[in-house]
Amino acid sequence: MQRTAPESRGPIRYGPPAPVSGLPALPELAAVLAAASEQAEGEPPGGGPELREAACGYWWRRGLRSHPEELVAASGAQPLLFALIGAYGGDVLMPRPCPAWWTPQARLLGRPAYHVPTPAECGGVPDPYALLETVRRVRAEGGMPRLLLLSIADDPTATVAPPETVLEACEAAVGEGLHIISDETWRDTLHRPHETVLLSPAEMCPGDVTVISDLSGALMPASWPVAVARFPPTDEGAARRARTLDILTALGSVVAGPVAAAAAHALDEPGPVIARMEQAAALHARVAAAVHRAVLVSGALARPPQAGRHLYADLGPLRARLAERGVTDSMELEEYLTDRVGAPVPGGHRFGDELGALRVRLATGPLLGATPEQQQESLTSPAPLELPHVAGALSILETAFDELR
C-alpha cells in the first residue's frame, strides 16, 4: 500500500475544500446576509429548520428525496467530514488523488487512511478492482476498512466519473460492507452540463451513501462557511446522524445565523442564483480549457477538465527538463511553478499522490483578476480570455510551461 508523502512544505497551507473562486459575492446573497446580520439568536447545532428545508428542496430537485430529519448543516466541510468519520468509525479509503483536506481529517482522528488508484478515464472514484484488492489487503493486515470517500465531480482532477464507473465502485464497496461518503460539492459546476451525465451514488445505493456538499462549490462565497450532509433514510442512517450531530455540537460547529439565511436563500435557487451559477461555471470552463491547451502544448499531460475550478497536470513527460532546473519531485515542482506563476500551484503529494510523481493542481480562480472589479468584468465579458488581466495571467502560465518544452 502506498506511503503517503509529507503534506506541508513551502508557503501553501491547505484548509478550505473550495479555494477562492475569483468572483465577488452575488449582490442578492450579500443583501440577504446583511438583512440577517442583527439576528440575536444563532442557528442550533445541525442547522435550523429553514436551512434544512431549503437543503431538502435542493436535493429533491436533483432526484434525491430528502427530509429535514435526515440532514445536518455545519460551519464548513472540514468539521462536517470530521464528524462523519468520527460517527462511522473504522479505517478510511479514498481515491488517489483526492482533495487535499480529506486525509488530514482521518489522521486527526487517528484513523488509518488508504489511497486507492482511480481508473484511467476519471478521478474521484476508485478503480473497483483496486478497491477490492485494497480492502482485502487491509483486512489481512488486521485493519478494519469501514468508509469509502469519493467524489463524482472531482477536485483535484476536474473530471466527472461516468455512471457505470460509479456503479461498479459502489457495488464493490457495498459488497465489502463499506459505507460511502459522496462529496458532491462540485456537481453544479459542470463545464458542459448538457453533454455530461452525472449520477449520485445515493441514487444507486440509497441505503449505503451519505452525501455531503460544501455550498462554496457553486452557491456561496468560500468566506461564508456552510456545508450540509444528507443521511440514508434508514435506522442506521438516523443513528449515524445523531452521532454526527453530537460531534458537531461538541466542536461548536454551528452555522452563523446570517450565513444560514443566505445559504437557505441560495439553496432555494431563485433566478439570480441560478444565473450566477451558470455564468460562473461557463467562465471557469473557458479558462480551464485555455489552461489545458497550455499544458498539452508543453508536452505535459492532463485529462480534459469537466467540472470545477481546477486542472490536474502530469509533468512526468518533462522530467528531464525539470531535472535540469533541480526539480525531481512534486514538492520541488510545487515550489518551482508557484514561483514562476506567482500563484499557489500545489503539488500532487498534497492530494495523496506519490512524491516522485511530477503532478500539480492548477486553479482557474487566480486567473480571473486581482480585484473585485476585474473579477466582475471577467464574469460578464462575452470574451473573458481577451481581457488584459486574464490574458496577462494566462500568458505568465503559458510561459512557465513553454520553458519546459
Side-chain angles (χ1 to χ4, degrees), residues 232-287:
T234 63
D235 291 342
E236 183 180 0
R240 298 305 182 189
R241 178 186 181 274
R243 177 62 178 152
T244 299
L245 189 56
D246 287 343
I247 298 172
L248 290 172
T249 302
L251 293 174
S253 179
V254 296
V255 183
V259 173
H265 185 81
L267 285 164
D268 284 336
E269 297 182 289
V273 170
I274 292 177
R276 162 59 75 87
M277 189 163 55
E278 294 175 347
Q279 202 173 21
L283 171 61
H284 283 286
R286 289 186 179 184
V287 177

Side-chain angles (χ1 to χ4, degrees), residues 68-110:
E69 62 272 16
E70 298 162 1
L71 308 183
V72 299
S75 55
Q78 300 98 318
L80 183 55
L81 182 61
F82 181 88
L84 285 169
I85 294 174
Y88 280 93
D91 300 348
V92 184
L93 283 73
M94 56 190 75
R96 182 178 72 234
C98 67
W101 58 286
W102 282 7
T103 305
Q105 303 287 45
R107 286 180 173 169
L108 191 59
L109 284 162

Side-chain angles (χ1 to χ4, degrees), residues 113-381:
Y114 300 92
H115 293 94
V116 185
T118 56
E121 64 269 19
C122 66
V125 175
D127 178 88
Y129 298 103
L131 175 63
L132 291 172
E133 174 61 24
T134 302
V135 168
R136 291 162 186 168
R137 192 184 309 172
V138 170
R139 286 182 177 146
E141 295 176 358
M144 296 184 296
R146 294 283 304 280
L147 277 178
L148 171 64
L149 308 186
L150 54 77
S151 180
I152 48 175
D154 183 45
D155 163 24
T157 65
T159 58
V160 176
E164 58 274 15
T165 302
V166 179
L167 178 60
E168 290 174 2
C170 289
E171 287 180 339
V174 172
E176 291 295 330
L178 304 182
H179 185 78
I180 299 166
I181 296 178
S182 176
D183 183 352
E184 300 183 8
T185 294
W186 302 103
R187 68 170 298 154
D188 296 317
T189 66
L190 300 182
H191 294 179
R192 295 179 178 84
H194 301 297
E195 302 174 18
T196 307
V197 178
L198 183 150
L199 289 178
S200 170
E203 297 179 71
M204 303 172 179
C205 307
D208 299 288
V209 178
T210 298
V211 179
I212 64 172
S213 180
D214 186 334
L215 301 194
S216 64
L219 294 172
M220 298 274 284
S223 57
W224 303 356
V226 56
V228 289
R230 173 192 178 273
F231 291 80
T234 63
D235 291 342
E236 183 180 0
R240 298 305 182 189
R241 178 186 181 274
R243 177 62 178 152
T244 299
L245 189 56
D246 287 343
I247 298 172
L248 290 172
T249 302
L251 293 174
S253 179
V254 296
V255 183
V259 173
H265 185 81
L267 285 164
D268 284 336
E269 297 182 289
V273 170
I274 292 177
R276 162 59 75 87
M277 189 163 55
E278 294 175 347
Q279 202 173 21
L283 171 61
H284 283 286
R286 289 186 179 184
V287 177
V291 174
H292 186 242
R293 286 193 295 271
V295 169
L296 296 186
V297 166
S298 74
L301 305 173
R303 296 184 180 101
Q306 297 175 287
R309 306 166 187 155
H310 312 109
L311 188 81
Y312 202 61
D314 183 352
L315 279 71
L318 308 177
R319 184 175 295 274
R321 296 297 302 273
L322 286 165
E324 295 172 0
R325 292 162 170 77
V327 176
T328 60
D329 62 29
S330 64
M331 285 186 176
E332 294 168 346
L333 181 60
E334 173 182 293
E335 294 176 356
Y336 174 80
L337 285 179
T338 296
D339 180 66
R340 294 292 295 115
V341 173
V345 183
H349 60 284
R350 297 184 184 272
F351 306 99
D353 241 329
E354 298 173 355
L355 183 60
L358 295 174
R359 300 186 183 113
V360 292
R361 190 188 70 172
L362 304 167
T364 54
L367 305 176
L368 304 182
T371 67
E373 292 75 20
Q374 288 182 340
Q375 295 157 5
Q376 185 65 28
E377 187 180 11
S378 299
L379 184 66
T380 57
S381 172

